[in-house]
Amino acid sequence: MAVDVHTHLVPKGWPDLAVACGGDGWPWLRIDSERAAMIMIGSSEFRPIGPQAWDPGTRAEDMDADGIDLQVVSPTPVFFGYERPAAQAVKLAEIFNDLTLETLAGDERFVPFCQVPLQDPDLACAELDRARAAGHAGVEIGNHVGDKDLDDAGIVAFLNHCAETGTPVLVHPWDMPGGPRLDRWMARWLTGMPAETHLSLLAMILGGAFDRLPPDLKICFAHGGGSFAFWLGRLENAWHRRGDIVRGCSEHPPSAYLDRILVDTVVFESAPLRLLVDTLGEDRVLVGSDYPYPLGERPVGEVVRKAGFLTAEQQHKLLTANAHRYLGRSE
């Protein structure tokens, strides 16, 4: 059995956000049948979803089929609302955080992660505390807020609050660049998501965020940390050879921060999984799936279970032990 640290939820309906939060152009849900719905943004179709997104019973059946004990359930990033005024975004976070708890109904197999109005650090900390008190175990954040990366002073202040409160953080890419070259073949998801996650890790290192954050911050980067592990050698080389430009605010070479980084296993193949384990270490990689979306892994954890290079002890760490430590739970 295993723990899945990267899944998403969409409630089956929510209030009219223009009325509840103010403004317009909010996402809404078009219900097509009992088992099919479409996330809409204005008049545009964003993503089709089914009962896996909103029905705990369906999720539990899939967990049983895949051998999953616990499932971390996070928001879908289209609902972050970072581009909105903070007063609207905090109302949005309250609505979706409460709906998540209502949807999961206290089922102990689900570990809810909240969202926060990250564009306002004070409001983000306050909503995190409210959501934690209500039953959320952690928080999912996007990898940037507009032009602000994760080394922004306000975001670092929020991450410090997460460290102080023992709150695990999942960083998920969102709001990828578009354009004619990226709007084909789901290229924003296939190239933009890995690139965005890679960039957010560079910001944490070169922007000095890790130097300003305590080492016990539990922060996991989705989709295997993007392309970071593959290009670590390039980054390390640039830090030493072009330090006048590349070093930024970092006190140490990039490789010195590897024990600060957690990543999930959403890489699908044994070779990139081995690269993650070899680069970050067997204690820094956790099973994730991106369930219930079609670019996720099913059966969940298959890439770990079929990885012949892992010892039984290493496999147990990736499937279970590392996630329990990340979540602050005992096995």
Side-chain angles (χ1 to χ4, degrees):
M1 302 297 283
V3 181
D4 184 351
V5 302
H6 177 183
T7 81
H8 299 286
L9 175 142
V10 179
K12 193 174 185 181
W14 50 84
D16 184 337
L17 298 178
V19 175
C21 303
D24 53 19
W26 292 98
W28 57 283
L29 196 65
R30 189 186 75 203
I31 304 295
D32 296 327
S33 73
E34 289 186 2
R35 298 185 60 80
M38 178 70 70
I39 301 174
M40 303 289 294
I41 301 178
S43 59
S44 300
E45 296 182 344
F46 174 74
R47 177 175 293 165
I49 57 173
Q52 298 87 350
W54 65 72
D55 178 46
T58 302
R59 298 177 78 100
E61 289 174 4
D62 288 344
M63 290 167 68
D64 290 341
D66 292 358
I68 300 298
D69 279 319
L70 289 175
Q71 191 184 75
V72 172
V73 183
S74 295
T76 295
V78 71
F79 302 112
F80 282 157
Y82 294 165
E83 76 285 1
R84 300 276 176 170
Q88 295 180 10
V90 71
K91 292 178 182 177
L92 177 72
E94 291 171 355
I95 289 169
F96 276 87
N97 290 339
D98 291 348
L99 281 173
T100 294
L101 296 180
E102 180 182 319
T103 300
L104 300 178
D107 190 322
E108 293 184 356
R109 295 187 69 180
F110 302 117
V111 183
F113 273 28
C114 65
Q115 66 183 66
V116 296
L118 196 59
Q119 62 268 59
D120 186 307
D122 291 336
L123 290 177
C125 291
E127 177 55 20
L128 176 68
D129 292 345
R130 189 196 73 87
R132 288 294 307 270
H136 284 271
V139 62
E140 180 189 51
I141 64 172
N143 68 301
H144 68 103
V145 176
D147 291 331
K148 297 178 180 179
D149 275 308
L150 297 186
D151 61 322
D152 173 74
I155 297 176
V156 170
F158 173 75
L159 292 175
N160 262 307
H161 185 68
C162 291
E164 291 169 359
T165 56
T167 302
V169 181
L170 176 65
V171 178
H172 198 288
W174 84 296
D175 193 30
M176 294 83 68
R181 296 175 62 235
L182 291 167
D183 289 341
R184 304 185 295 169
W185 319 309
M186 293 195 76
R188 283 189 290 168
W189 280 261
L190 298 177
T191 66
M193 276 197 165
E196 284 289 337
T197 307
H198 185 173
L199 181 58
S200 64
L201 274 161
L202 260 62
M204 294 289 292
I205 295 170
L206 303 180
F210 280 131
D211 294 319
R212 290 176 279 155
L213 290 163
D216 58 352
L217 172 68
K218 297 176 289 188
I219 185 166
C220 180
F221 293 81
H223 308 128
S227 49
F228 175 79
F230 187 87
W231 289 114
L232 174 61
R234 182 178 179 86
L235 174 60
E236 188 83 2
N237 178 70
W239 194 92
H240 287 286
R241 291 174 177 251
R242 289 305 311 270
D244 56 322
I245 298 174
V246 173
R247 290 185 186 178
C249 302
S250 57
E251 296 178 5
H252 307 286
S255 58
Y257 299 95
L258 298 183
D259 63 353
R260 307 288 296 276
I261 299 165
L262 296 166
V263 299
D264 69 17
T265 60
V266 187
V267 294
F268 304 101
E269 298 288 345
S270 182
L273 179 66
R274 184 165 198 160
L275 176 63
L276 291 180
V277 173
D278 288 346
T279 303
L280 298 175
E282 62 194 52
D283 297 322
R284 314 302 297 175
V285 184
L286 303 76
V287 165
S289 69
D290 214 356
Y291 177 94
Y293 296 127
L295 293 186
E297 183 190 49
R298 291 293 309 276
V300 177
E302 185 173 42
V303 68
V304 174
R305 292 187 172 103
K306 290 187 174 181
F309 66 89
L310 293 172
T311 66
E313 180 183 1
Q314 290 173 322
Q315 196 173 65
H316 174 69
K317 287 182 176 182
L318 270 63
L319 288 170
T320 305
N322 294 344
H324 280 285
R325 187 173 63 253
Y326 168 63
L327 297 172
R329 303 168 68 112
S330 58
E331 289 189 66

